[in-house]
Amino acid sequence: MWKNRDIARAGSAIIVTLAGWILIRLAFPALDYYPPESLVRDLGPSWIATTGIRQPVKVGYVTVALVLMALIFRVIQERWPGRGAVKGLVYGMWFGVVWSLGFLTGWAFLGTTLRAELLNSIVDLIPLAVAGWLIGIAIGRDVPKSAYRTTKPWLATLLVAIGFVAVHTLGVTLLADLVGPASRLLLVPSSPLQITLLAGLGVWVGGMYVVLREGLPFENTWARAAFFAFGVFGYCWTWFHLFFVIEIAGALPAVLLVGLTGAVGVFAGSLAYEWLARVIRS
């Protein structure tokens, strides 16, 4: 149950982070993100971009991202062992690295420059990590360590990574025709670099599943795996790609498909691990 004090503290953390984020963008306008020109040329700019409300919508986009981040953290930190501030920092950094790897897909799949995407990664990673830390200070609870241990954590990381890459690749390959010209946004891998980048993201998500597993709500295995796959990772991954909707016309179906296939893959990998872990323990 949220208390008024928790709402005020979380709101203050979000406002401070948002103000810093905006100041960075205002102080360094060259760091503002723009989609690849080839995408805008092929698909056209969105109505948001053409009507001149791009900047206010972006502020709203970031605000909602931080609010949802705080809501999810509030749920998982209740049973997640550790100090509140540290847990918030870890969660914020995990969130930021997912977005950073998302930026790098622009270089690997969409033809942007590595330098531009590394700068975008840094500009977003730092505020997200700070946001997590401040949210952890604001609403985090210190939870003592327990005797519970994850069976073969490397196996969980591996299976989540395999599930993510396999289901994502299969899904976007089979369904690419459904989104027409926007299929470039689906991140269909066709080179070693692209596969390696997706695998790196899968490993990162799998590692976070190991870290957060003890703090996930629900006793039912399916429900816990679904919460992580669709609530924790799925929201983060989909919301990152939703930025394309602000910039490019007709991007929403492709964005939702990328988010869904990724979340289903993480869900499949998580369930596979839970089943094997139960077999190993028995």
Side-chain angles (χ1 to χ4, degrees):
M1 180 68 68
W2 282 80
K3 299 179 180 178
N4 291 337
R5 182 184 61 183
D6 291 336
I7 294 174
R9 288 178 174 178
S12 299
I14 290 170
I15 291 171
V16 169
T17 303
L18 188 61
W21 213 331
I22 292 173
L23 287 174
I24 291 174
R25 295 293 187 180
L26 290 176
F28 304 98
L31 296 179
D32 199 4
Y33 179 77
Y34 294 94
E37 292 183 4
S38 59
L39 274 178
V40 178
R41 184 173 58 251
D42 294 342
L43 301 175
S46 70
W47 67 270
I48 294 173
T50 57
T51 54
I53 60 172
R54 178 177 179 269
Q55 294 302 331
V57 171
K58 284 172 61 179
V59 172
Y61 166 85
V62 173
T63 302
V64 174
L66 294 175
V67 169
L68 292 175
M69 179 179 173
L71 291 174
I72 293 174
F73 175 76
R74 180 71 171 77
V75 174
I76 61 178
Q77 66 92 29
E78 290 289 342
R79 300 196 300 180
W80 180 11
R83 299 185 64 85
V86 175
K87 291 188 293 185
L89 178 62
V90 170
Y91 182 63
M93 290 184 64
W94 174 82
F95 199 111
V97 171
V98 170
W99 279 30
S100 295
L101 292 170
F103 277 119
L104 290 178
T105 62
W107 163 61
F109 289 85
L110 302 176
T112 57
T113 66
L114 178 59
R115 178 181 181 277
E117 300 303 358
L118 287 175
L119 286 174
N120 284 321
S121 300
I122 294 170
V123 169
D124 280 4
L125 174 58
I126 294 174
L128 286 169
V130 171
W133 177 61
L134 292 176
I135 291 170
I137 293 175
I139 60 175
R141 302 288 186 270
D142 294 347
V143 178
K145 292 183 178 180
S146 68
Y148 179 86
R149 292 292 182 271
T150 297
T151 304
K152 297 188 182 300
W154 63 268
L155 182 61
T157 302
L158 178 63
L159 290 176
V160 170
I162 291 174
F164 170 75
V165 175
V167 175
H168 167 84
T169 302
L170 181 62
V172 297
T173 300
L174 294 177
L175 301 176
D177 291 341
L178 294 179
V179 298
S183 60
R184 290 179 60 193
L185 295 172
L186 292 180
L187 309 180
V188 181
S190 60
S191 71
L193 172 63
Q194 294 169 345
I195 295 172
T196 300
L197 185 57
L198 290 177
L201 174 58
V203 169
W204 180 254
V205 176
M208 200 59 188
Y209 179 67
V210 173
V211 173
L212 292 180
R213 183 169 175 264
E214 191 173 350
L216 295 174
F218 309 113
E219 296 300 327
N220 181 272
T221 299
W222 285 66
R224 287 170 36 142
F227 183 86
F228 178 80
F230 296 97
V232 180
F233 168 72
Y235 143 68
C236 176
W237 186 233
T238 305
W239 200 261
F240 170 80
H241 288 278
L242 201 64
F243 187 86
F244 284 112
V245 177
I246 300 175
E247 303 287 351
I248 300 172
L252 183 58
V255 166
L256 295 178
L257 188 55
V258 167
L260 180 61
T261 55
V264 170
V266 171
F267 180 60
S270 302
L271 282 182
Y273 166 73
E274 296 296 343
W275 179 78
L276 280 176
R278 189 161 55 247
V279 171
I280 292 172
R281 287 194 299 268
S282 61

